[in-house]
Amino acid sequence: MEAANFDLDRYCRRIGYRGPLAPDLTTLSALMRHQLFSVPFENLDVRAGKVVSLIPEEIVEKILDHRRGGYCYEVNGLFAMALRALGIHYQFVAARPMFYPVRRPRTHAAIVARLEGRDWLCDLGFGSHGIRAPIALDDLDREIEQDFDRFRLTRLDERGYLLQALVDQEWLNQYAFDLWPQEWIDFTPANYLNSTHPDTIFVQKLLVVLHHPTGRDTLLGDRLKREREGRITTETIEPNRLQSVLRELFQLEAAG
């Protein structure tokens, strides 16, 4: 994944990262967390009736120049550009969301990076219960603590993996994936579906998520949920407050 207008230094300024840059796990983890804490997961373009662009240069322009966020293809696509600039080998994987009451297609894009002889799941675009740091694919069947969240990775079969999150003291399936490599163009049909199909959450409701070191803020429709150190508060956002909430809580300088 590359874009003619991507610059690693500019990317680091956008996410507020000033540390060392090296093709190692320390850098991988630091960049993932800094991006999660500065680039929101958001579907403002879909809510504005647009089909999200998968053109790499337009993703860079949207997130770096216009200080927007995006959903999985955009935020993970941008992260992949940073990995490529660092010389970290990675592949895209297509994941099947597993929290719906009916079986869904593999519409989620995630990344598996290869570092220090191990494969690491990286994902900056799964919204509310997304991972907050890389998870090694051989770190199976145990509770993995990431800040105030808990995750578990297990095998479905000899090829497939299942990611779970501990929510209200219950392990809930998040998504399943295997290591069949995906080319960027392979996500075009799923992106169109997520941008246009009336059954998708992105078409139905506004969804904005920004992670913090001790929790996250989530705006779903007009309902704002703020989580800090396991404590949750909720409130309804009136239409006349929406722009200020997007700007002040989610660091979004434009709304569509």
Side-chain angles (χ1 to χ4, degrees), residues 165-179:
L166 188 63
V167 182
D168 296 329
Q169 303 306 309
E170 181 181 359
W171 286 107
L172 299 183
N173 295 340
Q174 297 303 299
Y175 59 78
F177 66 96
D178 60 35
L179 296 183

Side-chain angles (χ1 to χ4, degrees), residues 10-242:
R10 189 158 63 103
Y11 166 80
C12 289
R13 288 195 297 273
R14 171 68 175 90
I15 67 172
Y17 179 70
R18 298 177 178 83
L21 292 170
D24 56 27
L25 182 60
T26 299
T27 300
L28 178 73
S29 300
L31 291 181
M32 181 171 168
R33 288 177 66 81
H34 276 75
Q35 184 176 323
L36 276 173
F37 299 159
S38 59
V39 177
F41 178 96
E42 52 104 333
N43 68 332
L44 295 177
D45 281 354
V46 176
R47 294 292 296 161
K50 302 175 183 178
V51 175
V52 167
S53 174
L54 294 189
I55 298 172
E57 286 77 12
E58 294 184 4
I59 293 174
V60 171
E61 181 179 1
K62 177 179 179 179
I63 299 177
L64 299 192
D65 295 342
H66 299 302
R67 301 191 67 82
R68 286 281 306 280
Y71 62 9
C72 67
Y73 316 110
E74 299 167 285
V75 292
N76 280 330
L78 184 72
F79 192 65
M81 297 178 203
L83 299 189
R84 185 182 186 280
L86 284 169
I88 296 176
H89 178 75
Y90 71 90
Q91 68 175 68
F92 289 110
V93 295
R96 187 188 312 280
M98 300 290 283
F99 50 80
Y100 291 99
V102 296
R103 192 167 177 82
R104 300 289 293 246
R106 298 187 181 203
T107 55
H108 179 60
I111 292 171
V112 171
R114 182 73 174 175
L115 268 179
E116 302 173 6
R118 304 173 78 186
D119 291 321
W120 300 84
L121 176 66
C122 302
D123 192 356
L124 300 91
F126 200 63
S128 293
H129 297 297
I131 62 176
R132 300 162 69 84
I135 294 179
L137 295 194
D138 58 4
D139 193 1
L140 298 171
D141 301 315
R142 74 171 186 91
E143 184 174 303
I144 299 170
E145 180 178 349
Q146 296 184 347
D147 300 327
F148 289 86
D149 286 339
R150 305 291 186 274
F151 299 97
R152 185 169 66 188
L153 189 66
T154 188
R155 294 299 295 264
L156 285 174
D157 49 43
E158 63 181 17
R159 292 184 56 190
Y161 296 84
L162 173 66
L163 178 69
Q164 298 176 308
L166 188 63
V167 182
D168 296 329
Q169 303 306 309
E170 181 181 359
W171 286 107
L172 299 183
N173 295 340
Q174 297 303 299
Y175 59 78
F177 66 96
D178 60 35
L179 296 183
W180 188 265
Q182 303 293 304
E183 297 183 27
W184 186 242
I185 189 121
D186 294 334
F187 294 113
T188 301
N191 177 60
Y192 185 78
L193 183 148
N194 278 331
S195 288
T196 63
H197 198 286
D199 287 345
T200 67
I201 185 65
F202 306 112
V203 172
Q204 293 175 352
K205 292 184 178 183
L206 174 67
L207 177 57
V208 188
V209 182
L210 185 62
H211 293 265
H212 301 274
T214 60
R216 66 183 63 80
D217 294 331
T218 303
L219 180 63
L220 179 61
D222 63 356
R223 198 69 175 164
L224 175 65
K225 180 170 71 172
R226 308 194 71 182
E227 303 172 68
R228 294 294 185 277
E229 299 183 0
R231 296 187 296 272
I232 298 175
T233 61
T234 61
E235 64 176 301
T236 299
I237 303 301
E238 300 298 332
N240 63 338
R241 290 185 57 207
L242 177 60

